[in-house]
């Protein structure tokens, strides 16, 4: 049985003090789901240290939104996996569609970053998903296959079993348009099939696949009740305690 995993992706929102204030409220609002649902939040880099302090001793874990693939060196403006680990980060979101579209990230680049994250002792949340044009052209499953295979290439089943994959249709992110539970389940089942080919059936059954794209308290129950939807990666609705806790409770 896979334990549900809800992660908030705050994107470029909240200062360190705003993050700490919200997390002090959130930890109380989600404490009752402790063993049933795994919960993480991904504040911007500048708020990670304050967030780590605010969630100490709670059932909320810390995630980051990106990292560099190299351990250190002349990469102005970048942050390494080790630096994140040192702040108490457990998960790193990689290959988010905003990073792919706005910052030219590739599957090969995501693959390298996964290695860095594992080496530092953290785990990746690997994002995949098609654009509206790709869906309308009937290419959704091909696009997702290429992304999953490219990003996860070369990792052992033992490592892979602990990875999280997030299926986020680009057309559903921040738009208020959610994939129907049927559309999402179809892609999630396809991804689990790819993981079976890549590793083995046992490992594929262990990997948690989150859905992301306009998840809200009122659509979370329906999405999260699908066989292969094991959690959610939540953007806009993760910025308010009541909304995020509402999504957590939909599963808990
Ligand atoms: P959204 O974002 O929930 O605001 O659509 C999801 C994401 O980008 O991870």
């Amino acid at each position: 049985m896979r334990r549900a995993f809800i992660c908030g992706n705050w994107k470029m929102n909240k200062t360190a003090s705003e993050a700490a204030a919200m997390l002090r409220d959130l930890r109380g609002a989600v404490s009752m789901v402790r063993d049933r649902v795994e919960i993480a939040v991904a504040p911007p880099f500048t708020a990670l240290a304050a967030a780590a302090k605010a969630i100490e001793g709670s059932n909320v874990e810390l995630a980051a939104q990106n990292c560099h693939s190299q351990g250190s060196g002349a990469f102005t403006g970048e942050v390494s996996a080790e630096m994140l680990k040192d702040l108490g980060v457990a998960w790193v979101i990689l290959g988010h569609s905003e990073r792919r579209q706005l910052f030219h990230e590739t599957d090969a680049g995501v693959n390298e970053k996964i290695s860095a994250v594992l080496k530092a002792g953290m785990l990746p949340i690997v994002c995949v998903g098609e654009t509206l044009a790709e869906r309308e052209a009937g290419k959704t499953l091909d696009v997702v296959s290429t992304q999953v295979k490219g990003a996860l290439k070369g990792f052992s089943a033992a490592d892979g079993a602990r990875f999280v994959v997030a299926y986020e249709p680009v057309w559903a992110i921040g738009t208020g348009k959610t994939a129907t539970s049927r559309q999402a389940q179809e892609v999630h089942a396809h991804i689990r099939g790819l993981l079976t080919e890549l590793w083995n059936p046992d490992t594929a059954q262990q990997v948690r696949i989150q859905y992301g794209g306009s998840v809200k308290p009122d659509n979370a129950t329906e999405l999260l009740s699908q066989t292969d939807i094991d959690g959610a990666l939540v953007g806009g609705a993760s910025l308010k305690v009541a909304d995020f806790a509402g999504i957590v409770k939909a599963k808990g």
Side-chain angles (χ1 to χ4, degrees):
M1 186 66 183
R2 297 180 293 270
R3 186 168 168 235
F5 184 18
I6 313 287
C7 181
N9 171 14
W10 290 3
K11 308 190 180 184
M12 197 170 74
N13 292 293
K14 294 194 191 289
T15 62
S17 39
E18 288 166 349
M22 176 180 161
L23 290 171
R24 279 194 292 268
D25 290 342
L26 182 72
R27 56 181 291 165
V30 298
S31 59
M32 81 298 290
V33 300
R34 192 168 276 275
D35 298 319
R36 295 185 302 260
V37 184
E38 185 165 1
I39 303 164
V41 290
F45 292 139
T46 47
L48 285 170
K53 206 158 163 244
I55 58 177
E56 221 169 22
S58 77
N59 58 330
V60 180
E61 297 174 288
L62 201 55
Q65 300 173 18
N66 180 34
C67 72
H68 196 269
S69 59
Q70 300 298 307
S72 63
F75 302 101
T76 301
E78 291 292 316
V79 168
S80 78
E82 261 175 63
M83 294 169 186
L84 299 174
K85 171 72 178 170
D86 183 56
L87 289 177
V89 172
W91 296 93
V92 185
I93 299 170
L94 294 175
H96 189 280
S97 63
E98 286 152 17
R99 299 226 44 99
R100 291 176 187 263
Q101 293 192 324
L102 304 172
F103 303 99
H104 315 296
E105 292 209 353
T106 61
D107 295 325
V110 172
N111 186 272
E112 284 177 10
K113 289 181 179 192
I114 297 175
S115 295
V117 163
L118 290 178
K119 192 163 164 237
M122 301 179 292
L123 289 170
I125 298 173
V126 182
C127 302
V128 299
E130 82 287 2
T131 62
L132 185 59
E134 289 163 344
R135 174 159 285 266
E136 285 174 347
K139 291 187 188 148
T140 298
L141 299 183
D142 286 347
V143 168
V144 168
S145 298
T146 304
Q147 291 173 333
V148 168
K149 288 182 194 162
L152 303 187
K153 192 169 148 195
F155 295 105
S156 69
D159 282 335
R162 301 177 304 145
F163 291 5
V164 167
V165 176
Y167 168 57
E168 300 201 300
V170 177
W171 48 273
I173 295 179
T175 57
K177 282 189 204 158
T178 323
T180 63
S181 51
R182 214 165 135 246
Q183 283 173 322
Q185 167 58 27
E186 182 197 12
V187 181
H188 281 237
H190 177 73
I191 293 172
R192 206 172 300 286
L194 293 169
L195 301 179
T196 303
E197 278 171 37
L198 189 64
W199 293 311
N200 56 63
D202 247 27
T203 302
Q205 283 304 322
Q206 288 175 57
V207 174
R208 289 175 296 177
I209 308 176
Q210 295 174 325
Y211 170 78
S214 298
V215 177
K216 307 264 182 301
D218 62 3
N219 60 25
T221 308
E222 161 81 12
L223 285 161
L224 294 170
S225 65
Q226 302 302 305
T227 319
D228 290 293
I229 302 185
D230 308 310
L233 186 54
V234 185
S238 71
L239 295 171
K240 289 200 184 122
V241 171
D243 290 345
F244 190 60
I247 293 167
V248 167
K249 284 174 199 159
K251 194 64 194 178

